[in-house]
């Protein structure tokens, strides 16, 4: 017997033994109320005497395009275990699952809603999580099928078909060390009825400031001559003032003023003793901030099965921070009528009369977006668009204007004392304003080009147009600087997926399923040369439990318009560690845009594998190996190391003694960067046995029924655009269940059966709840009487990133830096070789818990030849968190006695449970002042209490 005949016989046997499944599905379809949608339709013409059983199936609700299954899938119960209040908060919790080694870093994954593109994440970011049926996290290759580039993972939020949520939330957070408080109040309203939905939301957040004096921070005043009351020294500081004091002997560098006011005598100065001032009460570790936002979205069908969405959002933020006291250096010439000294000296003092240096920043972001989804057919299309305007302004105190005072002192004025009150002196300010506008629209279409023996050839085409403008204005004592920049972008992208081999055909391949992908994108920019991106890959599934993805991308990218034209920001008294001299210093920093940035060029290889090793256990293991090289990478300015200073000498200003005074931190192009890393993710989920009092959910509970991460769903063959495929039957054989699905759970996308004590859906009414068979009832209802035994479960996830190679060449001709072997670009040490992220979620009958542990390995930063403190050792770091909460309305007795608790959730959250911080020491074991624990992490352990009420 040939391999082909064996495969045919095996499939036929599976079809015959599994006939109860399609017949059961037909019965469910026949019994469904009128108007209720079933995700799977079985033809009535099933002839068991033939060799072919034909199945017609529709795609499960919200499924993404293509045949790449999710790496991670969360159903509504698992989502609830995170204890979040919005999709934005949920996305933050899923950073370990959505992280990618292929992108430029720092950005969100591609976000879909119900398997479709949206105008932007602002459209759905404040949706309450009760509206979700499931969440899917997919590989980067899926982004190509929606017109995005394959440099970000994809997250698909799938809404329940019918849900109504009105939720009010109050939360308060404070560190256990005290002093800083965050209070938040929000209201969210979402209504979903099949293909119609609308939402409104509003939120207020108030964060109080945290001062250095409110933490255990050792003052840096030993390294500066400035102090309230003033100190006398030479100009520049560091020379002997013995002669000025009329003294002989050992060199005296400083003399602190102890009295005398504006007309001191020589006896009012303490030779060799300096005044010291702790400026902690004038410096913020965390700024005060107030935030307000309001948003809406509205979606409805039109002209049949087409649908349109309109959304808008307004966000306003105000921030206030302090950066120390104004410094004054007054030169006092010999013979000044107020000077008791025999020589020229300088007075170094703080102008505390003027209060702290402050920065007040305000921003206003307004956004509108729309999307139009075409009628489903051979070719599906989506039209999206958005317009965003960001207005920001800031006012920063910089330095004292002492030119007039100094001129009077130099002239020997008998009415102006160098030791007098400085409250009448002007404080220089720098004001910046910027307005940026982004308007874009895109049309994406996908469909079948042709049919091959292994399946249909599908394609995605996207065209987009974008207009960006940014106008910025900076005003200081030197005048006004205006910068205006605009960019017009036209982008065209094509993606083709070709099935090469299929195990589902009559002559099913013994190699399993193999498909190829090719993509190309062309971008025309008004201010840069045209850019081209191209790539391709292979997907191979030898068996259902194993999937491989191999891909390569060659990409060109232009710097953002903000990197080019952000207004200049000058900030005095910024504490930095000068790696060249091995010391902590206060410097003036310059931030903003750099007009001379170049476009980058990136090449990325990826090999990925997803494994589900056990048939009856919901376990998935994912491996992603990425190898990337990038030329002319646009980077924020690195830390003050000798290598960086050698590459960009014009960005650093030092005095005659070599002390660092100023750093220009505007972004730069790095010559090249190489990165190789292996990401490993393990996920395990298990359902708890249902309580005896629970409804007829079956073992494990009916809220299960989710497609497990990486598994092939029951209708995987039918979910392809081909409407009918011979030789396949929807569902598993009799006595079996699909991989990763708890016993007794309904198939993904099917409505759950009525629970004990729950009425069946009325005619024309579709039961609400997730496609995965989650809770029924409006507003994420409980699917049965309170306390009726909701199913529980737990999920464990472990993510490990092994950085195999991290190297950077800052500029051509300079040595290559090895970031894993003692070189650094940032201020927090080198690149850790290993990072771990362990998560645990538990949910059971209204109780939920989310805990996590993060760990990163230790690093070393090599000292420069001029450093006096040697190498810096950055310890490994472990942080842990836990969130515990309870839905009070699961207790029937409590609800009956106190009806107002219905729909109420309380939760308690502890971040950084053990109050850990990274320890940094030099060669002698001392902690540099810059790396004091309360400067590395001033907030530390925090406790948050939240009350949430659904109506």
């Amino acid at each position: 017997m040939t391999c082909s005949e064996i495969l045919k016989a095996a499939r036929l046997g599976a079809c015959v033994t599994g006939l109860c499944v399609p017949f059961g599905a037909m019965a469910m379809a026949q019994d469904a109320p009128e108007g209720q949608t079933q995700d799977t339709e079985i033809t009535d013409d099933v002839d068991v005497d033939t060799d072919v059983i034909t199945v017609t199936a529709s795609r499960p609700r919200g499924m993404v395009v293509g045949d790449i299954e999710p790496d991670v899938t969360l159903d509504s119960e698992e989502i609830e275990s995170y204890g979040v209040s919005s999709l934005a908060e949920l996305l933050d919790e899923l950073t370990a699952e959505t992280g990618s080694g292929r992108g430029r870093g720092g950005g969100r994954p591609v976000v879909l809603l119900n398997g479709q593109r949206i105008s932007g994440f602002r459209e759905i970011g404040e949706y309450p999580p009760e509206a979700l049926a499931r969440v899917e996290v997919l590989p980067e290759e899926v982004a190509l099928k929606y017109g995005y580039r394959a440099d970000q993972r994809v997250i698909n939020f799938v809404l329940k078909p019918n849900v109504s949520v009105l939720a009010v939330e109050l939360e308060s957070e404070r560190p256990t060390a005290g002093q800083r408080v965050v209070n938040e109040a929000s209201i969210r309203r979402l209504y979903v009825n099949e293909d119609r939905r609308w939402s409104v939301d509003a939120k207020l957040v108030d964060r109080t400031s945290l001062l250095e004096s409110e933490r255990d921070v050792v003052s840096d005043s030993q390294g500066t001559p400035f102090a309230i009351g003033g100190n006398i020294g030479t100009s520049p500081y560091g020379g002997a003032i013995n002669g000025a004091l009329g003294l002989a002997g050992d060199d005296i560098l400083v003399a602190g003023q102890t009295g005398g006011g504006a007309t001191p005598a020589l006896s009012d100065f303490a030779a060799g003793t300096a005044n010291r001032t702790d400026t902690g009460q004038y410096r913020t570790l965390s700024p005060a901030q107030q935030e307000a936002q309001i948003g809406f979205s509205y979606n409805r069908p039109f002209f049949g099965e087409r649908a349109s969405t309109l959304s808008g959002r307004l966000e306003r933020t105000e921030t206030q921070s302090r950066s120390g006291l104004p410094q004054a250096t007054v030169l006092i010439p010999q013979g000044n009528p107020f000077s008791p000294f025999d020589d020229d000296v300088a007075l170094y003092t703080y102008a505390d009369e003027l209060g702290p240096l402050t920065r007040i920043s305000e921003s206003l972001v307004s956004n509108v977006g729309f999307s139009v989804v075409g009628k489903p057919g051979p070719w599906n299309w989506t039209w999206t668009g958005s317009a965003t305007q960001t207005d920001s302004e800031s006012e920063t105190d910089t330095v004292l204007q002492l030119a007039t005072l100094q001129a009077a002192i130099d002239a020997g004025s008998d009415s102006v004392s160098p030791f007098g009150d400085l409250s009448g002196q002007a404080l220089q300010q720098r004001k910046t304003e910027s307005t940026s506008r982004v308007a874009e629209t895109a049309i994406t279409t996908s469909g079948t080009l042709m049919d091959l023996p292994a399946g249909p050839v599908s394609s995605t085409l996207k065209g987009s147009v974008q207009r960006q403008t940014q106008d910025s204005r900076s005003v200081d004592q030197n005048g006004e600087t205006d910068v205006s920049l605009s960019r017009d972008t036209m982008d065209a992208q094509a993606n083709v997926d070709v099935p090469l081999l299929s195990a589902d055909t009559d002559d099913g391949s013994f190699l399993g399923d193999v498909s190829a992908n090719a993509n190309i994108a062309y971008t025309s920019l008004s201010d840069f040369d045209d850019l081209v991106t191209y790539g391709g890959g292979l997907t191979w599934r030898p068996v259902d439990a194993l999937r491989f993805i191999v891909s390569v991308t060659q990409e060109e990218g232009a710097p953002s318009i903000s990197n080019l034209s952000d207004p200049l920001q000058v900030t005095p008294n910024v504490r930095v560690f000068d790696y060249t001299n091995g010391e902590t210093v206060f410097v003036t920093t310059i931030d903003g845009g750099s007009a001379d940035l170049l476009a980058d060029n990136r090449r990325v290889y990826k090999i990925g594998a997803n494994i589900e090793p056990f048939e009856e256990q919901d376990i998935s293991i994912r491996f992603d190996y990425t190898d990337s090289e990038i030329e002319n990478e646009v980077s924020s300015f690195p830390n003050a190391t000798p290598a960086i200073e050698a590459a960009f000498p014009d960005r650093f200003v030092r005095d005659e003694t070599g002390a660092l005074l100023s750093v220009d931190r505007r972004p730069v192009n790095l010559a090249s960067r190489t990165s190789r890393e292996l990401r490993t993710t393990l996920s395990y989920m298990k359902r708890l046995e249902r309580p005896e009092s629970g409804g007829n959910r079956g073992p494990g509970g009916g809220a299960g029924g989710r497609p497990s991460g990486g598994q092939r769903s029951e209708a995987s063959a039918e979910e392809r655009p081909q409407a009918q495929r011979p030789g396949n039957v929807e569902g598993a054989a009799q006595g079996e269940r699909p991989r990763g699905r708890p016993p007794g759970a309904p198939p993904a996308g099917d409505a759950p059966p009525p629970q004990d004590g729950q009425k069946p859906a009325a005619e024309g009414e579709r039961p609400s709840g997730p496609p995965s068979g989650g809770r029924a009832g409006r507003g994420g209802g409980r699917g049965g009487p309170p306390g009726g035994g909701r199913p529980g479960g737990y999920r464990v996830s472990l993510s490990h990133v092994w950085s195999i190679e991290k190297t950077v060449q800052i500029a051509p001709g300079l040595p290559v830096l090895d970031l894993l072997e003692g070189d650094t670009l940032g201020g927090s040490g080198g690149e850790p070789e290993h990072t771990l992220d362990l998560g645990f979620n538990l949910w059971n009958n209204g109780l939920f818990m989310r805990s996590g542990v993060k760990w990163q390995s230790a690093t070393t930063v090599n000292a420069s030849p001029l450093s006096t403190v040697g190498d810096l050792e950055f310890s490994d770091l472990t942080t842990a968190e836990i969130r515990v909460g309870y839905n009070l309305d699961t207790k029937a007795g409590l609800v009956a006695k106190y009806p107002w608790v219905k729909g109420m959730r309380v939760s308690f959250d502890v971040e950084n449970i053990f109050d850990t911080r990274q320890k940094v020491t030099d060669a002698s074991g001392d902690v540099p002042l810059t790396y004091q624990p309360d400067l590395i992490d001033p907030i530390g352990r925090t406790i948050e209490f939240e009350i949430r009420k659904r109506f």
Side-chain angles (χ1 to χ4, degrees):
M1 183 177 289
T2 66
C3 291
S4 176
E5 291 171 333
I6 293 174
L7 289 171
K8 284 183 179 179
R11 290 193 178 89
L12 181 59
C15 291
V16 173
T17 58
L19 283 178
C20 63
V21 176
F23 279 126
M26 283 190 289
M28 290 178 61
Q30 292 168 356
D31 294 339
E34 182 179 354
Q36 175 176 331
T37 302
Q38 292 292 332
D39 289 312
T40 304
E41 298 177 359
I42 310 297
T43 61
D44 293 330
D45 301 326
V46 180
D47 186 355
V48 298
D49 295 327
T50 65
D51 292 338
V52 176
I53 296 176
T54 302
V55 178
T56 302
S58 60
R59 297 171 63 84
R61 187 173 189 271
M63 186 177 177
V64 300
V65 173
D67 58 359
I68 298 179
E69 289 83 12
D71 291 330
V72 177
T73 301
L74 307 176
D75 68 14
S76 58
E77 298 287 347
E78 293 174 86
I79 294 168
E80 182 180 320
S81 70
Y82 284 87
V84 296
S85 302
S86 67
L87 302 196
E89 293 181 10
L90 178 61
L91 192 57
D92 290 339
E93 292 287 339
L94 296 175
T95 53
E97 288 84 354
T98 59
S100 172
R102 299 180 61 176
R104 287 175 163 80
R108 283 193 174 106
V110 171
V111 176
L112 307 176
L113 181 67
N114 294 334
Q116 298 173 343
R117 283 180 64 124
I118 55 178
S119 62
F121 187 63
R122 282 191 173 97
E123 177 185 324
I124 65 171
E126 293 301 318
Y127 278 14
E130 289 90 347
L132 291 175
R134 69 182 188 273
V135 174
E136 300 171 334
V137 181
L138 300 109
E140 296 90 340
E141 288 73 18
V142 176
L144 294 167
K145 306 178 189 299
Y146 287 87
Y148 297 99
R149 297 187 180 184
D151 58 358
Q152 295 169 289
R153 292 178 66 79
V154 177
I155 185 165
N156 181 30
F157 294 106
V158 181
L159 298 177
K160 298 173 184 176
N162 292 305
V163 66
S164 179
V165 180
L166 171 59
V168 177
E169 178 182 355
L170 299 174
E171 64 180 74
S172 182
E173 174 192 298
R174 66 170 57 238
T176 54
Q179 306 304 325
R180 179 182 181 267
V181 178
V182 180
N183 292 319
E184 180 177 326
S186 62
I187 181 170
R188 298 175 176 91
R189 177 73 169 101
L190 174 65
Y191 176 79
V192 181
N193 182 6
E194 297 293 344
D195 295 326
R196 298 170 182 259
R197 72 178 188 272
W198 59 266
S199 72
V200 292
D201 62 85
K203 181 166 66 175
L204 295 173
V205 183
D206 179 72
R207 299 177 178 88
T208 62
S209 64
L210 178 64
L211 303 176
E212 282 190 10
S213 58
E214 296 168 335
R215 288 292 183 265
D216 187 18
V217 175
V218 177
S219 173
D220 304 273
S221 60
Q222 297 296 325
T224 175
F226 296 96
I228 295 176
N231 291 308
I232 294 296
T234 60
S235 179
Y237 181 75
I241 57 172
N242 301 50
L245 298 173
L247 300 176
D250 294 337
D251 287 343
I252 297 175
L253 305 181
V254 66
Q257 185 175 0
T258 58
T263 57
L266 198 59
S267 59
D268 292 319
F269 296 88
T273 302
N275 290 321
R276 301 297 182 192
T277 299
D278 184 351
T279 60
Q281 62 180 310
Y282 306 105
R283 300 178 62 86
T284 49
L285 293 170
S286 179
Q289 189 176 76
Q290 296 78 43
E291 177 185 342
Q293 60 175 273
I294 186 171
F296 79 92
S297 70
Y298 180 74
N299 170 274
R300 65 166 296 163
F302 70 100
F303 295 140
E305 297 181 62
R306 298 175 180 87
S308 63
T309 303
L310 179 66
S311 63
R313 182 157 299 276
L314 194 65
E315 303 173 0
R316 185 182 184 279
T317 305
E318 181 175 334
T319 306
Q320 309 92 30
S321 59
R322 300 180 179 183
S323 56
L325 287 169
Q327 298 177 351
T329 301
V330 181
L331 303 180
I332 307 174
Q334 180 184 12
N336 183 274
F338 296 93
S339 174
F341 303 109
D342 295 337
D343 206 344
D344 296 343
V345 293
L347 173 66
Y348 299 90
T349 186
Y350 284 134
D352 59 309
E353 306 93 333
L354 299 175
L357 299 171
T358 62
R359 169 176 289 171
I360 299 176
S361 303
E362 297 181 3
S363 69
L364 180 66
V365 181
S366 51
N367 168 266
V368 292
F370 74 88
S371 64
V372 180
V373 179
K375 180 180 179 179
W379 283 84
N380 301 313
W381 57 269
T382 304
W383 178 27
T384 60
S386 66
T388 304
Q389 176 167 313
T390 303
D391 297 294
S392 60
E393 60 182 48
S394 68
E395 188 173 291
T396 306
D397 297 332
T398 54
V399 296
L400 281 172
Q401 292 181 325
L402 298 175
T404 302
L405 173 66
Q406 188 63 60
I409 294 172
D410 291 341
S413 172
D414 56 6
S415 61
V416 178
S417 170
F419 304 99
D421 192 320
L422 296 176
S423 58
Q425 304 304 311
L427 192 62
Q428 292 181 4
Q429 293 181 328
R430 186 177 188 89
K431 299 181 180 180
T432 64
E433 299 175 356
S434 70
T435 299
S436 65
R437 301 179 182 89
V438 180
E440 57 186 335
T441 184
I443 295 180
T444 306
T445 181
S446 60
T448 300
L449 295 175
M450 59 184 296
D451 286 325
L452 296 178
V457 178
S458 61
S459 176
T460 300
L461 305 175
K462 189 203 78 171
S464 66
V465 178
Q466 184 186 79
R467 170 73 173 177
Q468 291 178 275
T469 63
Q470 178 154 320
D471 301 313
S472 62
R473 176 173 174 264
S474 302
V475 180
D476 60 12
Q477 70 279 5
N478 297 319
E480 179 177 324
T481 302
D482 294 289
V483 177
S484 294
L485 191 63
S486 64
R487 173 181 293 174
D488 296 321
T489 305
M490 291 184 292
D491 181 85
Q493 181 173 330
N495 176 72
V496 178
D497 293 290
V498 182
L500 304 178
L501 299 172
S502 174
D504 296 328
T505 61
D506 289 339
D507 300 323
S509 166
F510 69 92
L511 292 177
D513 296 339
V514 180
S515 62
N517 164 274
N519 58 88
I520 186 170
Y522 174 81
T523 304
S524 176
L525 303 170
S526 59
D527 58 335
F528 273 87
D529 294 334
D530 294 345
L531 307 176
V532 177
T533 297
Y534 56 91
L538 286 173
T539 300
W540 176 35
R541 184 187 289 277
V543 293
D544 282 353
L546 182 61
R547 182 191 71 201
F548 295 99
I549 297 179
V550 180
S551 65
V552 60
T553 301
Q554 187 74 38
E555 177 188 0
E556 296 176 326
S560 68
I561 196 169
S562 61
N563 279 335
L564 296 169
S565 61
D566 271 352
L568 292 183
Q569 290 276 14
V570 178
T571 307
N573 297 339
V574 177
R575 184 190 283 108
V576 301
F577 188 79
D578 180 4
Y579 284 94
T580 298
N581 294 330
E583 61 182 1
T584 297
V585 293
F586 286 98
V587 302
T588 297
T589 61
I590 301 170
D591 298 280
S594 297
D596 55 352
L597 294 175
L598 306 174
D600 66 35
N601 189 301
R602 180 185 301 259
R603 187 271 303 152
V604 181
Y605 297 123
K606 173 194 169 182
I607 301 175
N610 194 295
I611 307 170
E612 290 186 353
F614 304 110
E615 178 74 22
E616 298 299 322
Q617 298 291 333
D618 192 352
I619 299 177
S620 66
I621 306 171
R622 188 178 84 242
F623 300 96
D624 288 311
Y625 171 80
T626 56
D627 183 326
S628 65
E629 293 181 1
I630 181 170
E631 297 178 354
N632 295 325
E633 178 188 22
V634 177
S635 169
S636 57
F637 195 74
N639 216 39
T641 65
I644 300 301
E645 192 166 356
F648 307 101
D650 57 328
R651 296 295 190 97
F652 296 82
V653 177
R654 296 182 181 273
D655 64 16
E656 298 89 339
T657 65
L660 187 62
L661 301 178
S662 174
V663 180
D664 184 344
R665 303 191 303 188
R666 290 175 291 173
V668 295
N669 285 109
L670 302 179
S672 64
R673 183 194 289 265
T674 300
S675 174
R676 292 191 297 130
E677 69 177 31
L678 176 65
R679 291 174 178 255
T680 306
T681 303
L682 170 68
S683 176
Y684 172 70
M685 194 277 290
K686 182 175 178 59
R687 294 286 174 178
L688 302 177
E689 294 296 327
R690 67 176 177 88
E692 291 299 325
S693 60
N696 182 24
R697 292 180 177 267
R706 68 180 182 87
S708 68
Q711 67 136 17
R712 173 175 294 188
S713 60
E714 298 97 323
S716 59
E718 287 73 28
E719 287 159 3
R720 296 167 186 164
Q722 216 167 344
Q724 295 184 345
R725 302 183 61 87
N728 294 290
V729 172
E730 176 75 6
Q734 183 178 9
E736 297 179 353
R737 64 183 176 88
R739 295 178 56 83
R741 190 175 306 287
D750 291 346
Q755 310 301 312
D756 291 347
Q758 178 183 350
K759 295 181 179 180
E763 183 176 353
E765 177 185 354
R766 175 174 182 158
S768 64
S772 55
R775 303 183 299 264
R778 297 176 64 83
R782 302 310 182 206
R790 296 175 61 200
Y794 62 87
R795 179 174 183 266
V796 180
S797 62
L798 177 64
S799 177
H800 172 246
V801 179
W802 175 25
S803 295
I804 303 170
E805 180 181 357
K806 298 280 186 179
T807 60
V808 171
Q809 186 179 37
I810 302 172
L814 293 181
V816 174
L817 304 182
D818 190 335
L819 304 184
L820 297 175
E821 296 294 335
D823 296 319
T824 184
L825 294 179
S828 56
E831 291 280 349
E833 186 175 0
H834 298 279
T835 61
L836 284 173
D837 195 326
L838 173 65
F840 177 78
N841 291 62
L842 171 69
W843 61 98
N844 188 26
N845 200 27
L847 173 71
F848 63 86
M849 183 183 76
R850 160 70 174 170
S851 61
V853 177
K854 296 181 179 181
W855 173 84
Q856 69 178 43
S857 57
T859 64
T860 299
V861 175
N862 299 329
S864 77
L866 298 178
S867 175
T868 60
V869 299
D871 296 348
L872 295 184
E873 301 291 338
F874 291 76
S875 71
D876 63 345
L877 177 64
T878 303
T879 58
E881 62 173 320
I882 187 170
R883 178 184 294 128
V884 180
Y886 198 83
N887 289 290
L888 300 180
D889 61 353
T890 59
K891 292 296 185 182
L894 184 65
V895 173
K897 187 174 182 179
Y898 304 104
W900 53 270
V901 304
K902 182 176 177 59
M904 183 173 289
R905 183 187 79 187
V906 294
S907 62
F908 182 75
D909 182 280
V910 183
E911 297 276 352
N912 196 356
I913 297 173
F914 304 108
D915 202 22
T916 56
R917 294 164 174 84
Q918 192 171 41
K919 185 176 181 181
V920 184
T921 56
D922 58 26
S924 61
D926 296 329
V927 177
L929 294 177
T930 301
Y931 295 109
Q932 297 176 70
D934 280 336
L935 292 180
I936 292 177
D937 179 9
I939 306 301
R941 178 173 51 233
T942 61
I943 296 177
E944 177 185 298
F945 182 73
E946 173 197 298
I947 299 178
R948 191 168 187 265
K949 168 74 173 176
R950 290 184 294 107
F951 297 91

